[in-house]
Amino acid sequence: MVVMSKPAMEHHCAATTLFPEIPLIDLSKPDSKNLIVKACEEFGFFKLINHGVPTEFITRLESEAIKFFSLPLSEKEKAGPVDPFGYGNKKIGSNGDVGWVEYILLTTSNEANYQKFSAIFGEAAEKFRFAVNDYVSAVKKMAYEILEMLADGLKIQPRNVFSKLLMDEESDSAFRLNHYPPCPELNQETNGMNLIGFGEHTDPQIISVLRSNNISGLQISLKDGNWISIPPDQNSFFINVGDSLQVMTNGRFNSVRHRVMANGSKSRLSMIYFGGPPLSEKIAPLPSLMKGEDSLYKEFTWYEYKKSAYKSRLADNRLGVFEKIVAS
């Protein structure tokens, strides 16, 4: 199934040069904590360099992912369906969303992830497992550091107020490998329209850490609703504020709406770590950030929000049902 988006293309082409550049954060610089706070307030998104994730972990996982996605579809489907983890193709979630994408969705805490892959890879499944574990371990460490720098920048204690939720043994985090195959028909038949690789959405978790190869496709929505393309950089990471972090900061941080457009001739590969809290964790604005303000959100557990989010369509405002109605 091919999903087109002509208005989005027109929106994007009309005004990209008028927008400020996406924040660039150098994790090795002492002033990073304040710049990260500013980026989360203004964009809910930033690019990260000097991140400390070893290049060999990135290249090894990319190589293993390419091997998997290069297999015949009938072989890959042995690792499916997504229930809730495994291999998926075009179908995103269970509510009718589709895209020009195939993917592997894994939990970050369960060795059972890899049983499906043993049937396909045999002994090579171990190599795939080690590549994922090494990469995810390094990215988690970076995510903890970012969240602790955020706490420092916000001047709140303890500084692990966010990171401890990801460090918790019960943390409900996930890892995703997305492959957007080339679509030759895009250039021939779509008359200038865009092909949706992964439809617009926000991430429900606390923080998402994205890395892709050097093929473009990622776009984010600014607060005014205009979409801008993010130039790819395979040596950097991109960080998304998730819905849960927006709530914990009482709307001070912005959960970024984003999407991926497919490419007519080149294959795009991305890897995303979604840092989530334990299922029983209550998600509510931090009292230390309220300063006499009223909460914009009803309190809920991560389990309640996750259940609600996954019943919705990708583009829905998932936080809408948890927002408090303010009397005028």
Side-chain angles (χ1 to χ4, degrees):
M1 182 178 288
V2 176
V3 187
M4 298 303 173
S5 175
K6 190 165 188 177
M9 180 71 165
E10 291 166 348
H11 228 170
H12 160 65
C13 291
T16 46
T17 55
L18 302 178
F19 297 131
E21 288 192 14
I22 291 302
L24 175 65
I25 307 295
D26 183 338
L27 208 52
S28 67
K29 295 288 178 66
D31 65 341
S32 293
K33 62 184 181 183
N34 297 318
L35 295 175
I36 291 175
V37 169
K38 189 167 185 279
C40 291
E41 289 174 339
E42 294 180 2
F43 291 89
F45 179 89
F46 56 91
K47 178 178 175 177
L48 194 68
I49 60 172
N50 289 325
H51 44 71
V53 177
T55 304
E56 60 266 30
F57 289 0
I58 298 170
T59 53
R60 188 164 81 234
L61 179 55
E62 183 168 306
S63 173
E64 292 300 315
I66 289 169
K67 283 181 195 172
F68 176 81
F69 289 122
S70 298
L71 292 169
L73 180 60
S74 58
E75 286 295 298
K76 290 182 285 193
E77 285 179 335
K78 291 177 183 176
V82 177
D83 62 349
F85 302 105
Y87 171 78
N89 182 33
K90 294 190 174 69
K91 183 181 175 184
I92 303 168
S94 56
N95 301 302
D97 289 297
V98 294
W100 191 258
V101 63
E102 58 176 345
Y103 57 91
I104 299 169
L105 185 59
L106 302 168
T107 173
T108 60
S109 59
N110 190 344
E111 295 297 312
N113 273 321
Y114 300 97
Q115 291 177 358
K116 292 180 175 181
F117 297 97
S118 296
I120 305 166
F121 285 153
E123 291 180 4
E126 278 293 284
K127 198 173 173 186
F128 175 70
R129 182 169 70 87
F130 285 134
V132 171
N133 287 350
D134 285 348
Y135 176 87
V136 170
S137 294
V139 166
K140 276 184 181 178
K141 186 178 175 184
M142 178 181 67
Y144 303 157
E145 184 178 359
I146 292 166
L147 290 172
E148 287 171 5
M149 291 174 79
L150 271 177
D152 289 343
L154 290 168
K155 298 180 173 59
I156 53 176
Q157 293 289 340
R159 74 186 301 259
N160 71 342
V161 65
F162 301 124
S163 64
K164 69 181 180 183
L165 301 177
L166 274 57
M167 292 179 180
D168 194 298
E169 284 184 5
E170 300 297 318
S171 166
D172 183 43
S173 297
F175 180 64
R176 188 178 189 113
L177 288 160
N178 284 339
H179 176 235
Y180 302 92
C183 183
E185 295 87 355
L186 184 60
N187 296 327
Q188 299 164 13
E189 299 175 7
T190 57
N191 196 26
M193 293 186 185
N194 264 349
L195 175 66
I196 300 290
F198 206 110
E200 65 174 272
H201 63 287
T202 59
D203 296 334
Q205 292 87 355
I206 294 171
I207 191 174
S208 307
V209 181
L210 164 73
R211 183 264 168 196
S212 74
N213 63 358
N214 253 0
I215 305 302
S216 63
L218 178 64
Q219 297 181 351
I220 68 167
S221 176
L222 301 180
K223 288 182 178 179
D224 63 8
N226 279 297
W227 289 89
I228 59 170
S229 284
I230 305 301
D233 183 348
Q234 62 186 5
N235 300 312
S236 302
F237 284 87
F238 295 93
I239 310 299
N240 295 345
V241 169
D243 296 342
S244 296
L245 188 54
Q246 177 173 315
V247 172
M248 293 178 78
T249 59
N250 205 32
R252 180 170 172 179
F253 289 174
N254 178 45
S255 179
V256 65
R257 186 164 285 270
H258 54 288
R259 67 187 181 195
V260 175
M261 311 311 291
N263 192 290
S265 57
K266 294 177 180 175
S267 178
R268 183 175 188 272
L269 184 75
S270 64
M271 35 190 90
I272 312 103
Y273 164 71
F274 300 97
L279 289 170
S280 60
E281 185 70 27
K282 289 182 179 178
I283 307 297
L286 298 176
S288 53
L289 289 177
M290 297 295 284
K291 297 175 183 172
E293 297 174 5
D294 291 329
S295 172
L296 299 177
Y297 305 96
K298 305 168 190 171
E299 187 176 274
F300 53 87
T301 63
W302 168 238
Y303 172 77
E304 289 168 337
Y305 187 57
K306 182 179 177 182
K307 186 177 177 182
S308 172
Y310 288 104
K311 282 181 179 175
S312 66
R313 297 293 298 267
L314 270 180
D316 289 347
N317 173 19
R318 294 161 168 172
L319 276 176
V321 294
F322 296 94
E323 291 171 356
K324 286 186 175 177
I325 299 171
V326 182
S328 56

